[in-house]
Amino acid sequence: MSTKPTPPAPPGDVWFRPAAAGPRNKPRLSREKIVDAAVALLDEAGVQHLSMRNLAERLQAHATSLYWHVATKDDVVDLALDAVFGEVRLPDGHSPAWRDDIAAFMTELRRVLLRHPWAAPLTNSRPLAGPNALARSEFVYASLVTAGFTGPALSVAASVITTHVTGSAAAETVWHHHDETAPRTAVHDHLQRHAGQYPTLARHFPVSGGDWDAHFTRGAHFLLDGLTANLPARD
């Protein structure tokens, strides 16, 4: 009698099942060492080059020994991503102005994501349910609740804050990975040749990428102004 294959565990599953017991004798490896090595490997080569074999080679261990601590490559990615979120510094307490809290969080998250170029694209493809990510989400939600957001408006506000940072960091990372000049010039020239079809783009498309820091800050101000304008009326 045939049996159905076991479906692969979804991304983020590492946070929702008990941790492996580990070997009985004192292991040379630990989950922390594996995650540190994974982050370094991801920083150097990206997700496409992460494998349990490559990770084991970096750790000078046998690949099978990794499975005492992590079940799958997805586990490694989720653990590494949460380790990155652990680098996002949070203040000891909330400031009197919720906008200051959110602006500081956005700036700090961007700094960390630019330091680890592989991380930003992953934030929209897997649940951020590790302890470090949840602690940062708790900070953002608490600030927004203080401002007066509740219910669906609260979750939307938190989502657009994170999405602005991750989207901006992902775009900046892609452009910085290549010389911006050639592709931007190619797009600009293409738009000029088809100005009748794309008149507004042909007139306003930026040939230069400009100042990425200023671009991010301006977008953050637009976002915070929009959130402020949509604050629920207080009784």
Side-chain angles (χ1 to χ4, degrees):
M1 182 174 64
S2 62
T3 58
K4 293 183 179 179
T6 303
D13 187 60
V14 66
W15 307 121
F16 311 125
R17 66 172 188 269
R24 293 177 182 175
N25 58 329
K26 185 176 181 180
R28 185 177 68 83
L29 290 180
S30 66
R31 177 175 278 194
E32 182 179 2
K33 288 182 179 179
I34 292 171
V35 172
D36 287 345
V39 171
L41 183 58
L42 287 162
D43 287 347
E44 293 173 12
V47 176
Q48 65 273 23
H49 294 295
L50 176 68
S51 68
M52 300 300 264
R53 177 178 295 180
N54 290 343
L55 188 54
E57 289 177 358
R58 176 175 285 269
L59 289 162
Q60 298 182 328
H62 197 281
T64 56
S65 64
L66 270 62
Y67 291 102
W68 283 106
H69 307 278
V70 290
T72 65
K73 174 183 168 180
D74 265 339
D75 281 7
V76 174
V77 172
D78 286 317
L79 290 163
L81 187 58
D82 195 61
V84 167
F85 271 87
E87 297 179 22
V88 178
R89 297 171 300 210
L90 293 177
D92 293 333
H94 291 275
S95 69
W98 68 272
R99 284 183 59 137
D100 291 345
D101 278 349
I102 299 301
F105 168 78
M106 293 171 74
T107 300
E108 179 64 8
L109 178 58
R110 173 178 179 256
R111 178 190 69 82
V112 170
L113 292 178
L114 291 178
R115 185 180 176 187
H116 302 283
W118 54 273
L122 293 178
T123 58
N124 294 319
S125 64
R126 50 212 318 116
L128 302 177
N132 292 319
L134 290 179
R136 276 72 191 166
S137 294
E138 172 69 21
F139 178 84
V140 171
Y141 268 69
S143 297
L144 293 172
V145 167
T146 299
F149 289 100
T150 58
L154 172 61
S155 60
V156 170
S159 176
V160 297
I161 287 166
T162 303
T163 300
H164 173 65
V165 182
T166 57
S168 173
E172 184 174 348
T173 295
V174 169
W175 283 110
H176 281 179
H177 188 68
H178 305 283
D179 180 7
E180 287 189 57
T181 306
R184 284 190 177 277
T185 300
V187 173
H188 176 268
D189 292 347
H190 177 76
L191 290 171
Q192 297 308 309
R193 291 193 299 270
H194 298 84
Q197 191 173 356
Y198 313 109
T200 308
L201 286 173
R203 190 176 305 114
H204 297 284
F205 181 81
V207 179
S208 169
D211 185 335
W212 281 100
D213 292 339
H215 182 80
F216 172 81
T217 301
R218 185 176 293 111
H221 282 312
F222 288 169
L223 188 152
L224 290 169
D225 287 345
L227 291 177
T228 302
N230 285 278
L231 280 172
R234 293 185 181 271
D235 296 333

